[in-house]
Amino acid sequence: DTAVSQTPKYLVTQMGNDKSIKCEQNLGHDTMYWYKQDSKKFLKIMFSYNNKELIINETVPNRFSPKSPDKAHLNLHINSLELGDSAVYFCASSQAGLAGDHLSGELFFGEGSRLTVL
Amino acid sequence: GQNIDQPTEMTATEGAIVQINCTYQTSGFNGLFWYQQHAGEAPTFLSYNVLDGLEEKGRFSSFLSRSKGYSYLLLKELQMKDSASYLCAVRNPGGGGNKLTFGTGTQLKVEL
């Protein structure tokens, strides 16, 4: 029943390791996102895909690589993890991802994946 | 650039009314959202304004003035469960897609 699901929910790992977070949505939305929420609770967009195509790529280290095998899935792979990567990573999806339309296009968030780098 | 400001913390009493303000300066505007986030949980959608004026939805209302770059979220008949962080977010038409830029959130504490 879960609309946007992401795994794992918790991830504890050592510096220098590589890890992946997976996300799936069953809402039929065309657009999916990765957001990062730091320890001060600031929520910042990282990437957005529309129908498997990358449309937003904020200033994110290239150690972060998103992959969208189909429009219902968006995964995030992180290489060479650093202490500063510790955060909660939220996947989200929305409909009507086109600029200029006046539909709400609200985001539906997954439960978050709390990454702790030691 | 994008700049979205909201107070860091607010405290209010159960049963009262509270208004959380948000001011924004963004390079484009295509709607303003309010989200609620309880500790350890995902943000959930509360309201959306794209035209000036007040949108009411039960105990929650949201107001927008585009000329002033200003919005507020009004919560009436406060309940303990309303203790949460309230995030103001602006949708930008530029950059492709449905890009939301969030403020840092207002932590609301409801007391007896």
Side-chain angles (χ1 to χ4, degrees):
Chain A
D1 250 343
T2 308
V4 183
S5 58
Q6 49 183 114
T7 55
K9 194 168 180 180
Y10 298 97
L11 196 49
V12 181
T13 189
Q14 300 285 336
M15 256 191 339
N17 284 350
D18 304 338
K19 290 293 176 188
S20 293
I21 308 171
K22 295 185 176 182
C23 180
E24 175 182 2
Q25 55 96 3
N26 62 5
L27 297 166
H29 288 163
D30 289 331
T31 310
M32 295 185 72
Y33 312 78
W34 279 110
Y35 275 82
K36 178 181 179 181
Q37 189 168 46
D38 61 24
S39 56
K40 295 182 178 172
K41 308 300 180 192
F42 182 52
L43 197 60
K44 186 169 166 52
I45 191 167
M46 299 173 71
F47 302 102
S48 175
Y49 273 73
N50 181 262
N51 210 4
K52 301 193 295 176
E53 182 186 341
L54 180 67
I55 54 171
I56 294 174
N57 185 352
E58 291 295 283
T59 308
V60 176
N62 58 14
R63 298 183 294 104
F64 290 78
S65 50
K67 275 205 173 74
S68 182
D70 54 63
K71 74 173 194 177
H73 294 85
L74 180 61
N75 303 324
L76 183 65
H77 187 76
I78 316 170
N79 288 327
S80 304
L81 278 157
E82 299 177 358
L83 293 176
D85 297 333
S86 295
V88 181
Y89 292 85
F90 284 101
C91 176
S93 73
S94 72
Q95 193 59 296
L98 299 175
D101 68 68
H102 284 278
L103 296 175
S104 165
E106 70 197 72
L107 297 181
F108 291 79
F109 285 89
E111 291 187 346
S113 296
R114 181 175 292 277
L115 172 65
T116 303
V117 182
L118 303 174
Chain B
Q2 321 286 7
N3 193 32
I4 300 175
D5 286 317
Q6 42 181 138
T8 306
E9 293 178 338
M10 297 183 74
T11 302
T13 306
E14 190 179 34
I17 298 172
V18 72
Q19 178 175 309
I20 303 174
N21 296 324
C22 172
T23 56
Y24 63 90
Q25 292 171 315
T26 57
S27 53
F29 180 85
N30 196 22
L32 186 142
F33 294 77
W34 284 95
Y35 281 79
Q36 180 191 59
Q37 186 178 23
H38 285 101
E41 297 182 10
T44 54
F45 170 78
L46 286 178
S47 69
Y48 169 69
N49 296 69
V50 68
L51 300 175
D52 291 352
L54 189 68
E55 294 281 341
E56 295 186 79
K57 201 193 272 188
R59 293 189 299 114
F60 292 21
S61 304
S62 57
F63 172 83
L64 174 67
S65 168
R66 287 170 297 170
S67 62
K68 294 182 180 175
Y70 168 69
S71 172
Y72 67 73
L73 180 69
L74 194 70
L75 292 78
K76 301 176 190 172
E77 299 167 21
L78 279 172
Q79 302 174 10
M80 297 299 286
K81 68 178 183 180
D82 297 330
S83 292
S85 181
Y86 290 86
L87 307 170
C88 173
V90 171
R91 182 163 72 159
N92 306 116
N98 191 15
K99 178 180 172 181
L100 289 195
T101 301
F102 283 84
T104 50
T106 298
Q107 188 65 45
L108 173 67
K109 184 177 176 185
V110 180
E111 299 178 327
L112 290 170

